[in-house]
Amino acid sequence: RRSKSTKQLPYHTVGFDADSTANHSTLNIQRLTLSSRTSLPNIMLRSIFLLAVLVLPSEGLQLAPLLSTCVDACQRGCLEIRKVQRERISSMNGEESVSLQVEYKNDEDARSALTQADLAAQEAIVGSLRAQWGAELNIVGEEDGNEELEKEIEGQYEPLKVDMFEDDIGETPELDPSTVTVFVDPLDGTREFVEGRLENCQVLVGIAIDGEAVAGAIGLPFPTGQLEDDNDDEENESTIIYGLADMGTGTIGKTLTRGPFPLEKHVDGVKFPRPQYATGDSPVPVIRECVEGIIDRYGGSNVIYGGAGNKILASALGEVACSIQHKYGGPWDVCAPEAILKAMGGRLTDIFGQEIAIYDKGAPSNCNERGYIATGSGSDHDALVQALSEMPVIQEYQEKVQQKQKEGKVLQSAGQ
């Protein structure tokens, strides 16, 4: 049974409104308040957009059914990952099953791991979305380019749900498909999946319009950090958090009770005092010196999270003051989390304070090497960015990134 509790995210300052008749928590357009950073022109533009979203009918590609299908596809991806993990456990217990096979895109980088969970989830998500919307909709998955996978994706799929948000968003102006891209990370945190740190694993399905993250879904296939023994209701054992930027968020599936993590499960607040700043476990100087500099200025401590989406979600939920990453794999890592972060009143920029620019097909080179800093609604984003900009290590890193851009060393960006 899908949870309808209004206490699903106790560490989230926004909260959810549960619809007494629907099978999922609903978006609440009136929930979010404008921050002091929002200028009057932006308020007017967003008000006009929201008015158009609510009253203008259209029969073309619309945001509400597109988001609905992304949420449903995200849930299917979670289900595939859970299936692989169940087979993995059976193999460990000596039952006849297929053990986890791991390949590495880069033999020297554990974060480049690829498993059958990644492939099965991408097939389920991308395949069902393509079957639903056709070739006109641009869908970019992290595992694109795998010839065997592309053949599998050409199969038949059960139709996705298109009506989950009929009452929340309604009909919207028709979207030009050429301005829309759906970014899919079938398993964010593959390394953590391989290592058994399941609480870090996520499925990310984000919608970008005109190069901006607008909506998306984050799926947690293991919301409790483990695979439960009872698989009678496998579909609803995952948690899906969905959101529409500047409008609100909701959930379906298993009640989410995480936070603050990792203190609740592992250590107390004495060893890791607040405010806390989330990073990965990378030893690169730019991250280590960044966190040390912020702690010197504001106090607090560094906590380790796996997965880009997991770090950004931690900021959105208020588990940490901010999360910082000096680079990430591609737009599929940040599109859905950024949209949901903004829906919860937070903010995401690169570590130099510029807006994330990786979603557009003409994105500047090396966008992913600009990293990100994510803050929730209760953190002063500008102050943290300013603190980073004053650090010599950040200044040096920015010069290197800019030099690479000048030299034309283009890394993978949206649609390339």
Side-chain angles (χ1 to χ4, degrees):
R1 179 177 299 176
R2 289 171 177 159
S3 173
K4 301 177 184 177
S5 170
T6 58
K7 296 182 179 180
Q8 288 181 312
L9 299 179
Y11 298 94
H12 178 9
T13 58
V14 176
F16 296 141
D17 289 342
D19 187 336
S20 60
T21 59
N23 286 330
H24 57 85
S25 299
T26 62
L27 292 164
N28 179 355
I29 295 172
Q30 303 298 324
R31 178 183 305 124
L32 298 178
T33 58
L34 295 168
S35 70
S36 59
R37 297 189 300 270
T38 308
S39 64
L40 182 58
N42 283 337
I43 296 174
M44 295 175 64
L45 286 172
R46 290 175 181 178
S47 298
I48 292 171
F49 170 77
L50 292 179
L51 182 62
V53 163
L54 292 175
V55 302
L56 293 183
S58 174
E59 297 179 355
L61 179 63
Q62 297 183 37
L63 189 54
L66 178 58
L67 177 58
S68 178
T69 58
C70 286
V71 170
D72 194 13
C74 184
Q75 191 169 40
R76 293 187 187 185
C78 288
L79 181 60
E80 294 300 322
I81 294 170
R82 290 178 61 85
K83 286 180 180 178
V84 172
Q85 178 63 11
R86 195 169 295 283
E87 291 177 351
R88 182 185 184 187
I89 291 175
S90 297
S91 178
M92 291 177 180
N93 292 337
E95 299 177 19
E96 185 177 353
S97 183
V98 179
S99 61
L100 185 67
Q101 301 295 317
V102 184
E103 298 179 9
Y104 292 93
K105 303 170 190 176
N106 181 346
D107 291 337
E108 298 179 356
D109 186 357
R111 291 183 293 273
S112 70
L114 176 68
T115 71
Q116 60 261 48
D118 299 79
L119 299 176
Q122 169 131 339
E123 179 190 344
I125 298 167
V126 175
S128 59
L129 285 172
R130 284 184 184 170
Q132 189 79 36
W133 297 106
E136 193 175 16
L137 180 63
N138 187 31
I139 304 172
V140 178
E142 182 180 11
E143 309 308 335
D144 287 353
N146 186 304
E147 293 183 2
E148 293 184 5
L149 180 61
E150 288 298 324
K151 292 179 182 179
E152 295 291 336
I153 285 176
E154 295 175 359
Q156 299 293 317
Y157 296 87
E158 182 180 347
L160 293 164
K161 299 174 184 176
V162 297
D163 58 354
M164 296 174 66
F165 307 119
E166 279 185 345
D167 296 333
D168 302 300
I169 302 175
E171 295 186 58
T172 66
E174 182 176 348
L175 297 171
D176 179 355
S178 67
T179 67
V180 181
T181 302
V182 176
F183 292 104
V184 177
D185 189 339
L187 177 49
D188 185 47
T190 303
R191 170 195 168 191
E192 287 74 16
F193 179 73
V194 171
E195 295 174 354
R197 296 184 286 138
L198 302 180
E199 67 273 9
N200 297 281
C201 301
Q202 297 186 349
V203 175
L204 309 177
V205 184
I207 302 170
I209 302 176
D210 286 326
E212 181 179 352
V214 171
I218 295 177
L220 283 71
F222 311 104
T224 65
Q226 60 184 353
L227 184 69
E228 293 77 12
D229 293 333
D230 183 10
N231 62 346
D232 292 338
D233 191 19
E234 191 79 70
E235 178 181 353
N236 292 316
E237 286 302 312
S238 302
T239 299
I240 312 297
I241 305 171
Y242 58 83
L244 180 58
D246 299 321
M247 291 187 69
T249 57
T251 66
I252 62 172
K254 194 177 187 68
T255 301
L256 182 63
T257 57
R258 62 177 269 177
F261 175 88
L263 303 186
E264 184 175 297
K265 289 180 62 176
H266 302 294
V267 295
D268 59 36
V270 175
K271 186 176 180 180
F272 293 92
R274 293 187 179 275
Q276 295 157 347
Y277 314 101
T279 69
D281 58 2
S282 172
V284 296
V286 64
I287 287 296
R288 300 277 66 85
E289 292 183 32
C290 277
V291 174
E292 290 172 4
I294 290 176
I295 292 174
D296 286 343
R297 177 174 294 200
Y298 298 108
S301 58
N302 179 207
V303 291
I304 304 301
Y305 280 69
N310 192 38
K311 296 181 186 70
I312 297 172
L313 181 61
S315 294
L317 298 179
E319 295 176 358
V320 297
C322 75
S323 58
I324 306 172
Q325 195 162 326
H326 74 294
K327 67 177 181 179
Y328 50 91
W332 44 80
D333 285 314
V334 291
C335 185
E338 180 183 6
I340 289 172
L341 176 69
K342 291 191 292 187
M344 292 183 177
R347 190 177 174 194
L348 187 80
T349 66
D350 65 33
I351 58 175
F352 311 127
Q354 302 298 311
E355 297 301 321
I356 301 296
I358 199 171
Y359 310 121
D360 190 81
K361 291 181 180 179
S365 62
N366 293 25
C367 278
N368 61 338
E369 290 193 341
R370 301 179 69 88
Y372 65 76
I373 177 170
T375 55
S377 59
S379 298
D380 190 335
H381 189 96
D382 291 332
L384 288 167
V385 168
Q386 180 62 33
L388 291 178
S389 69
E390 296 171 0
M391 298 178 188
V393 67
I394 285 292
Q395 296 168 3
E396 294 173 5
Y397 182 67
Q398 185 172 19
E399 290 177 1
K400 291 179 180 178
V401 172
Q402 291 174 341
Q403 184 61 36
K404 274 192 177 182
Q405 184 172 336
K406 291 178 182 179
E407 294 172 355
K409 294 182 179 178
V410 181
L411 296 183
Q412 188 175 23
S413 59
Q416 296 181 326

